[in-house]
Amino acid sequence: MQLSVIILNYNVRYFLELSIISVQKAMEGIDGEIIVVDNNSPDDSCAMVKQRFPGINLIENKENSGFPKGNNIGVAAAKGKYICILNPDTVVAEDTFAKTLAFAERQNKLGMVGVKFIDGTGNFLPESKRGLPTPWVAMTKMSGLYKLFPKWGLFNKYYAQHLNENEAGEIDILPGAFMLMDRQVYLDAGGFDERYFMYGEDVDLSYTLQKMGLHNYYFPSTAIIHYKGESTVRDAAYTKRFTGAMRDFYKKHFRGAFLMDGFLTLGSTLFIRSKQRKKAAVSPADNYVLFSKDEELCRQLEMATGKKIVRFAQYERNVLPSTNSCTEIILDNELLPFGEIIAIMQNHRHKCYTFRIRPAGCDFILGSDSSDSRGEVTLMDNEAPEKTL
């Protein structure tokens, strides 16, 4: 078997369903398997998987033991030569695995490969590629200095800004939302360190591979949607978890760092203050456009949203309203493949456009209007949208 895709899920049933549908499409023609590990979700994620995807290997943990342990359980059950660690809040293109596997096969001493991430508005997510977060580098990120001096080597290392978003190359750190690598390499590295619970484990594994003499690569020739981006919930609790993970990382790999606590404390303070500033609100949509052949879907969406929706049976760029008016674009996966949906989102990334996806065979649409939001699901049989994720 060539590839095992491992999706660790916790309480994101609708995003998981969308992700699995996209993965199944991307696995066509590949000898592979999908493994879903559920960390004791309180929603009906497991029931959904059993009903909609009976051929998937579903592992139901009896507790939420964290990101590292959950993925290690999935890898232990995997049969593929390669594994892909994948978040449930992602959407892959039809060519994602084929292209990434071909790239991986061409590399010598491969650690892992990551791809280009976009958020729910089509904007590039800089977390797609990162540098080693030394105390100084972590502080430049949390304080926002990397934004002020993006071309200065002293300040631009956190997001590996020596590479632009469309430039492939070797980097230090890849995010745990998408990691493709040889399964035996993962095992030789010890997998994810289970002393972490969330945050830090992807940094730890990436750096461990480098210490083994292997190379990590950013490969932007295929893009995926990552709805939560890097921002999960960017508040004081997030900052505490992040700084705690960095302290654990330095204790493990560098036996502590004299200036680490000072840098991280300063960076955390500046980070929290920056997040306390008022965020720009997403303007309500003035127009709703649906790309679908399904007239009944249009009617159902109008009932669910209470909005007038203009439907087009095929995608044409020039039918969209002006970017001076806020427009929600609804993309039906029955009409458009995921790769084209991702391309449309990138081509129309603009503050006045928001996007929703209707997965093939599903009675809901979902999306996210910013990297700081946790996503929204609209059920066809509901009068009001259900917010989740």
Side-chain angles (χ1 to χ4, degrees), residues 18 20 53 74 232 321 383:
L18 170 59
I20 292 174
F53 311 103
T232 309
E383 294 183 358

Side-chain angles (χ1 to χ4, degrees), residues 295-361:
E295 292 184 12
E296 177 61 17
L297 171 63
C298 185
R299 187 192 68 81
Q300 290 176 337
L301 283 170
E302 288 183 335
M303 291 182 62
T305 63
K307 307 293 184 180
K308 175 64 178 176
I309 296 174
V310 179
R311 182 181 65 87
F312 296 94
Q314 62 183 13
Y315 167 71
E316 293 181 17
R317 187 184 184 110
N318 60 2
V319 302
L320 292 175
S322 165
T323 55
N324 294 323
S325 60
C326 294
T327 301
E328 182 157 291
I329 303 171
I330 305 168
L331 303 162
D332 185 2
N333 179 225
E334 296 279 7
L335 173 68
L336 301 165
F338 289 110
E340 189 169 350
I341 288 173
I342 292 169
I344 289 170
M345 291 172 64
Q346 291 186 90
N347 290 337
H348 294 291
R349 52 185 177 184
H350 186 279
K351 63 182 179 181
C352 282
Y353 285 137
T354 57
F355 301 93
R356 296 292 181 269
I357 297 175
R358 186 273 185 114

Side-chain angles (χ1 to χ4, degrees), residues 116-125 165 225 342 344-350 353 355 368:
K116 180 180 181 179
F117 292 2
I118 64 169
D119 66 11
T121 63
N123 287 302
F124 172 68
L125 284 169
E165 65 179 85
I225 305 169
I342 292 169
I344 289 170
M345 291 172 64
Q346 291 186 90
N347 290 337
H348 294 291
R349 52 185 177 184
H350 186 279
Y353 285 137
F355 301 93
S368 176

Side-chain angles (χ1 to χ4, degrees), residues 264-319:
L264 290 180
T265 299
L266 175 60
S268 298
T269 300
L270 295 172
F271 178 83
I272 293 171
R273 286 179 179 176
S274 70
K275 290 301 169 184
Q276 288 173 341
R277 298 170 188 161
K278 186 176 180 180
K279 297 175 183 176
V282 177
S283 300
D286 300 315
N287 307 285
Y288 291 80
V289 174
L290 168 66
F291 289 105
S292 175
K293 294 181 179 179
D294 191 341
E295 292 184 12
E296 177 61 17
L297 171 63
C298 185
R299 187 192 68 81
Q300 290 176 337
L301 283 170
E302 288 183 335
M303 291 182 62
T305 63
K307 307 293 184 180
K308 175 64 178 176
I309 296 174
V310 179
R311 182 181 65 87
F312 296 94
Q314 62 183 13
Y315 167 71
E316 293 181 17
R317 187 184 184 110
N318 60 2
V319 302

